[in-house]
Amino acid sequence: MPAPRPRPAAALVLVSALAALGLGPAVTPAVAATVPAGAGSYSDTRPAGTSGPTTNTGAPVTPKVTAAAQGKPVPTNDWWSSLAFQRYGDNPWSTPMYGHPLTYQAVAGGLEVGYPTSPAIVGDGRQYEFPHKRDLTLGLTGLNSPDTKADAWSDWTVTPYWSDGTRTLRTTIGHGLPFVYAKGTGGDARITTAAPPAVFADQGNVLGITVAGHHYALFSPTGTDWTVSGTTVTAGLGGRDYFSVAVLPSTDALATYRKYAYSFVTGSTVNWSYDAGTVRATYSLTTEPKEGAERGTLQALYRHQWLHTTDPLTPYTYVSPRGTMKVREAASFSTSQRSAAVLPALPGGTGADTARLRGHLAEVANSADPFSGAVDTYWTGKALGKLAQLVPLADQIGDTALRDKLLGQIKGRLQDWFTAGGANEFSYDRVWKTLTGYPASYGSDTELNDHHFHYGYYVYAAAIVAQYDPGWAADSAWGTMVRTLVRDTANPSRTDTAFPFLRGFDVYAGHSWASGHQGFAAGNNQESSSESTNLSAALVLWGSATGDASLRDLGAYLLTTEGEAVAQYWFDADQQVFPGSFGHDTVGMVWGSGGAYSTWWTANPEEIHGINVLPVTGGSLHLGGHKEAVRRNIAEMERENGGPAVEWRDILWEFQSFADPAAAKAKWDAGNAGYTPEAGESKAHTYHWLTALDTLGAPDATVIGSVPTSAVFTKGATRTYAAHNHGSTARTVTFSDGKSLSVPARSTATGTGAGGPGPDPEPPTGNTFQLRTGGTLTTATGTTAVSDTVPSAQGGTYDGTPNRPLVYQARNVNGTLRGGGSTAFRLQVDAGTAVGLGQQARISYDFTGDGTFDRTETYQYFATDPVTGWEEYGQARGLRSTTGTLADLRGGTVRLEVWSAIGNADSRLQTGTDRSVLVIPYD
């Protein structure tokens, strides 16, 4: 089997992304005391000879916060954590922080601000990044602070603090904020620019400047005036203490941004809910008017957010490492998504041979050491997860003795860890407000890394135990220890004084971060997104098994949100995030600055692709929501690998099964005899998984059940419905297509569903779509005509093959195919005075929104003339090629792609008007 992988302790060539790493000597703890937790316990002091948080040289470190924040739980593992966790002794300010669209770095003179808009492809083409590069530094005249501290924080904003004894500065920054809000005393407002600024607007206390091609607006109090001297811009504050800076999407946005320049953001809050298969979330900013009464604001939404909101957005957009960000003119917005499916295991009775499965199960349960020598939190967790996956399988074949043996092994190891004073235990750090397991691994102690990765396995295993032994999971028994691990990693409370709110999960970015200190030039990072979602799925199962609906719903929110973020930012599911010059279809790691086709420990393609898949469980079904992305991912792995997977073949077979179950099962049939399972896998689980999906079909994310523990699978024209009922009485689970399933108490049920053919068809969503800059097709009207740039073919010929296309898309489209109807479009294009250009269009239909485009239509390209002015390109040019046959749309996706088929210059495509539209043949 592959050697156990070292994470940050190993070398990884990520060029400019990485700062130095290292572990220092142990720090001597005080005398330990034991804290009871139900039947379990943890220590309030570290075991002898172990370390807590340190600098990279091993010196103990405490939270770097102001007096106002002393004693509050510090949210480590965040996009800004280097403000509070000083990893490097010679940097008491911060490392680069990626808020998006802005980037920041605290320095002695204030806050560096940048807006990186051009990607760099580095590391032999294995990494793309939009690295922090200072456009300006916001500060006060004379400010020279010996450090920067965290003064206050909320769900996705933070307030850094500087003081040099004479001057004090606070700034509020955050995800999605185009503004930096500053409050200072002891000096004038000072902006120093990286190059002499070009002034495009001078309105006294409002100054518009351009630096390095980026447009900024500076706002000081009414009655004051900005003065430019070389690269220094200053303004007296007139006895007041506030000013702000905004990055503008264009110079003509100044008036809009001026309206909100004095409405200072003071906090941010997300609220989520789960209801009958739908996850909703509202993201709100609180504000304080510094002048006038305006309390509104502007905020930029990430792709995973604007794909799922119906709230109006402005035409303004920003560049980011996560693709286009779109601006909303309001203090809040809401999203709505189909909840990600979760099951304790794939259903039984789905084709696996009972004797063969029993034999594979016994291989694990009866092995000399089912835990494979694991002693630290991570590898123990993986072993617990492996065993927990097998418990429902033993139950499905009626082997209760084998089931109970596996349960006993899991309970014994959990209880060992859940009891303080032995060779392994959990220890609470009262300074950092965190629970660390010892023996620790991969910096989970000295850097506070990966707690969500490690503890997710424990919670998952505990949830499986709770499914079969509810008494074990009672708070008076071992449930309190499980909940304590949850509080450390995914605490839903903002008022808990012992642990921070959602330590690792960044609610605005939509995913977790792995590094506790965020001390890298590339910002924070997360490698194994699937080990993060493993915790979220575990919360769904634990909450369902213990009757804790709030934890269940938290898990549904986290899993659904991160599932979409993973699809977009790790797998580039819509091919709209990764730069065109980045030659990969997936990344192994997401960084604040971008992404890398790599891991912490190896360049092996199998592990680069597999690390964001494992562990494969009933909480992994969301990976089947974008089947074309899965196919691209597997194809790239085999290209890079020089052939099919060898070392992690089981993980990658299972990954392929989310899109092509029969092909994955065929690989198992041909290659299962002579391989060693991945450390968290087993032949029993892989055999059962691949056989089940070969029988049921791939997960179908277009239909959702009324409980989180339900799923739908589709094979050909047949849907199979599955649901687990953790409760003590039978229940009926309903599905969004009108089917229902009766599920006995404490059981999983499957079937083709009761009821009619489905609910009444949803009302059509319209058939005439306007194009919107930023990639949207919409039936809305009434905006101003603008244009997008169609990138040049750069002298190549791409007739029939999209090359760097503009992509416009509408999701959740409903419509009945009109008999005899066909697609129509009219697109306004302009080549200016360039000669020899031709634009081409392709329209694609995904009938059910499952990620597979069932019908594509590629049209002959349109040769533009070399005369400035709009020309109309329409379907009359004729079809060049088609695939598939049109059918009804039920929650479907419609996509328009436009690219340069020929030529050596850019052209323009008009958007925001009824002169550029796509008309689909649906009622």
Side-chain angles (χ1 to χ4, degrees):
M1 64 180 287
R5 64 181 188 275
R7 290 197 180 211
L12 170 67
V13 179
L14 283 179
V15 294
S16 63
L18 299 184
L21 295 166
L23 302 180
V27 181
T28 304
V31 177
T34 297
V35 180
S41 58
Y42 58 88
S43 172
D44 69 351
T45 311
R46 295 188 306 276
T50 63
S51 291
T54 67
T55 67
N56 66 312
T57 60
V61 64
T62 58
K64 186 161 62 74
V65 299
T66 64
Q70 282 290 340
K72 296 180 180 179
V74 174
T76 58
N77 307 78
D78 215 330
W79 67 271
W80 58 265
S81 293
S82 62
L83 280 170
F85 191 144
Q86 185 177 339
R87 180 63 176 162
Y88 308 103
D90 60 353
N91 182 357
W93 301 284
S94 83
T95 54
M97 301 172 288
Y98 292 81
H100 305 146
L102 291 172
T103 62
Y104 318 95
Q105 184 166 8
V107 294
L111 183 70
E112 289 186 359
V113 178
Y115 173 41
T117 53
S118 298
I121 308 301
V122 295
D124 295 325
R126 299 171 72 87
Q127 181 177 347
Y128 79 88
E129 58 179 6
F130 292 76
H132 169 68
K133 183 178 180 181
R134 180 181 79 95
D135 283 341
L136 54 86
T137 302
L138 179 155
L140 302 171
T141 54
L143 178 64
N144 185 22
S145 179
D147 58 23
T148 308
K149 299 176 180 178
D151 185 55
W153 49 82
S154 59
D155 289 6
W156 62 89
T157 64
V158 64
T159 300
Y161 171 88
W162 295 257
S163 177
D164 62 9
T166 301
R167 290 155 287 266
T168 62
L169 174 69
R170 291 176 173 86
T171 64
T172 296
I173 56 179
H175 280 316
L177 298 188
F179 285 93
V180 177
Y181 306 95
K183 295 181 67 176
T185 61
D188 294 341
R190 181 187 64 184
I191 308 296
T192 55
T193 57
V199 176
F200 65 82
D202 188 348
Q203 302 166 9
N205 68 317
V206 177
L207 187 71
I209 60 174
T210 300
V211 181
H214 304 140
H215 310 301
Y216 291 91
L218 317 182
F219 304 95
S220 58
T222 298
T224 63
D225 192 22
W226 291 98
T227 300
V228 181
S229 177
T231 58
T232 301
V233 186
T234 56
L237 297 179
R240 286 155 290 183
D241 66 353
Y242 56 86
F243 61 104
S244 64
V245 173
V247 62
L248 304 181
S250 59
T251 56
D252 60 9
L254 178 59
T256 299
Y257 280 63
R258 179 174 184 167
K259 178 180 178 182
Y260 302 107
Y262 303 101
S263 177
F264 275 36
V265 168
T266 57
S268 55
T269 306
V270 63
N271 289 289
W272 61 84
S273 66
Y274 170 86
D275 180 47
T278 299
V279 171
R280 296 180 175 86
T282 298
Y283 300 83
S284 302
L285 296 172
T286 55
T287 61
E288 174 188 21
K290 293 297 183 181
E291 294 185 6
E294 180 61 62
R295 302 188 72 97
T297 192
L298 297 159
Q299 51 189 319
L301 279 63
Y302 283 115
R303 178 176 182 81
H304 76 276
Q305 295 168 324
W306 56 255
L307 282 172
H308 297 286
T309 188
T310 57
D311 293 336
L313 304 175
T314 72
Y316 300 130
T317 62
Y318 289 105
V319 174
S320 88
R322 310 292 179 253
T324 300
M325 299 183 78
K326 299 186 178 184
V327 176
R328 173 151 167 81
E329 191 174 4
S332 69
F333 65 92
S334 297
T335 60
S336 178
Q337 293 178 254
R338 299 183 183 109
S339 182
V342 179
L343 292 171
L346 291 186
T350 47
D353 179 80
T354 298
R356 185 177 184 183
L357 181 57
R358 180 179 285 111
H360 285 316
L361 289 166
E363 289 172 6
V364 178
N366 296 332
S367 65
D369 179 10
F371 291 89
S372 304
V375 295
D376 63 50
T377 48
Y378 180 71
W379 291 100
T380 298
K382 280 184 70 77
L384 286 166
K386 176 179 68 176
L387 296 175
Q389 292 170 4
L390 303 184
V391 171
L393 310 192
D395 191 52
Q396 288 172 11
I397 62 174
D399 196 330
T400 55
L402 193 56
R403 179 200 68 190
D404 292 346
K405 182 173 186 177
L406 289 163
L407 283 169
Q409 291 168 341
I410 296 168
K411 289 178 184 178
R413 190 57 59 99
L414 285 174
Q415 291 168 197
D416 186 29
W417 275 90
F418 288 173
T419 303
N424 34 250
E425 68 174 24
F426 286 96
S427 171
Y428 180 70
D429 187 319
R430 288 167 290 186
V431 175
W432 282 96
K433 312 287 188 182
T434 189
L435 192 75
T436 302
Y438 293 94
S441 50
Y442 309 124
S444 60
D445 50 355
T446 56
E447 302 178 61
L448 301 186
N449 296 338
D450 298 356
H451 283 203
H452 61 314
F453 293 164
H454 298 204
Y455 303 171
Y457 287 109
Y458 290 72
V459 179
Y460 173 80
I464 296 298
V465 173
Q467 179 178 327
Y468 294 93
D469 186 354
W472 183 93
D475 287 347
S476 58
W478 300 98
T480 296
M481 277 301 300
V482 178
R483 293 178 187 278
T484 305
L485 267 64
V486 172
R487 288 169 67 198
D488 181 71
T489 53
N491 188 9
S493 172
R494 297 179 181 86
T495 58
D496 190 334
T497 59
F499 296 97
F501 172 70
L502 295 179
R503 178 186 304 279
F505 192 80
D506 186 328
V507 296
Y508 206 86
H511 60 80
S512 296
W513 297 110
S515 169
H517 52 74
Q518 184 261 309
F520 304 94
N524 214 323
N525 72 88
Q526 179 164 262
E527 180 184 65
S528 184
S529 60
S530 48
E531 288 181 305
S532 178
T533 57
N534 183 52
L535 170 61
S536 304
L539 294 177
V540 172
L541 294 175
W542 173 262
S544 299
T546 60
D548 189 333
S550 63
L551 273 186
R552 179 203 67 186
D553 294 354
L554 169 63
Y557 164 69
L558 298 178
L559 179 62
T560 302
T561 303
E562 189 156 22
E564 183 64 40
V566 169
Q568 298 299 331
Y569 310 141
W570 274 258
F571 298 153
D572 198 16
D574 296 333
Q575 297 181 289
Q576 293 296 297
V577 172
F578 296 172
S581 51
F582 181 62
H584 295 282
D585 291 315
T586 189
V587 294
M589 307 174 73
V590 160
W591 288 86
S593 65
Y597 185 77
S598 56
T599 72
W600 279 109
W601 80 98
T602 182
N604 181 354
E606 296 183 30
E607 289 153 288
I608 292 172
H609 289 259
I611 192 59
N612 286 293
V613 179
L614 63 81
V616 178
T617 73
S620 306
L621 299 175
H622 66 94
L623 293 172
H626 297 271
K627 293 178 174 57
E628 286 300 323
V630 174
R631 294 181 182 117
R632 288 195 302 271
N633 198 309
I634 293 293
E636 180 182 18
M637 183 279 298
E638 294 186 347
R639 288 195 308 272
E640 295 283 334
N641 203 45
V646 178
E647 292 184 20
W648 278 12
R649 66 184 76 179
D650 44 4
I651 298 296
L652 293 160
W653 289 338
E654 291 169 321
F655 187 34
Q656 186 172 15
S657 73
F658 290 115
D660 298 305
K665 176 60 162 50
K667 289 181 177 179
W668 159 269
D669 290 339
N672 69 80
Y675 82 96
T676 301
E678 186 274 332
E681 261 298 343
S682 63
K683 287 191 174 181
H685 179 259
T686 302
Y687 169 58
H688 179 273
W689 183 276
L690 295 175
T691 304
L693 288 189
D694 185 41
T695 301
L696 298 169
D700 184 346
T702 67
V703 181
I704 51 176
S706 58
V707 297
T709 51
S710 59
V712 180
F713 306 88
T714 298
K715 184 173 184 178
T718 301
R719 278 179 176 156
T720 300
Y721 303 81
H724 186 83
N725 176 12
H726 285 89
S728 57
T729 58
R731 70 176 302 165
T732 297
V733 176
T734 58
F735 293 84
S736 58
D737 63 353
K739 296 286 188 174
S740 62
L741 187 67
S742 295
V743 190
R746 304 196 185 284
S747 300
T748 296
T750 61
T752 55
D760 293 336
E762 297 181 58
T765 43
N767 68 349
T768 300
F769 293 88
Q770 292 187 15
L771 286 60
R772 291 286 187 268
T773 293
T776 300
L777 292 173
T778 178
T779 56
T781 60
T783 61
T784 303
V786 291
S787 65
D788 288 343
T789 298
V790 184
S792 167
Q794 298 175 321
T797 299
Y798 300 98
D799 185 10
T801 304
N803 176 56
R804 300 193 297 161
L806 297 175
V807 180
Y808 305 88
Q809 189 162 276
R811 293 176 182 263
N812 299 318
V813 180
N814 304 299
T816 302
L817 180 64
R818 187 184 307 123
S822 60
T823 305
F825 63 88
R826 58 179 183 272
L827 304 174
Q828 306 303 311
V829 293
D830 178 26
T833 58
V835 177
L837 305 193
Q839 297 77 37
Q840 194 159 29
R842 181 169 74 178
I843 293 92
S844 303
Y845 297 88
D846 171 359
F847 301 140
T848 60
D850 67 354
T852 298
F853 284 96
D854 309 284
R855 164 76 173 180
T856 63
E857 302 173 1
T858 304
Y859 289 81
Q860 301 288 354
Y861 70 76
F862 178 74
T864 46
D865 63 34
V867 179
T868 300
W870 296 112
E871 301 176 75
E872 188 166 286
Y873 170 29
Q875 78 283 351
R877 286 291 301 161
L879 280 165
R880 185 185 186 280
S881 64
T882 64
T883 64
T885 303
L886 286 169
D888 292 348
L889 289 163
R890 292 291 178 261
T893 300
V894 179
R895 176 183 289 181
L896 166 67
E897 297 167 275
V898 180
W899 69 96
S900 294
I902 58 173
N904 207 17
D906 294 344
S907 55
R908 293 189 300 149
L909 172 64
Q910 192 175 64
T911 63
T913 171
D914 60 6
R915 296 186 65 217
S916 281
V917 296
L918 170 65
V919 183
I920 61 175
Y922 291 85
D923 297 318

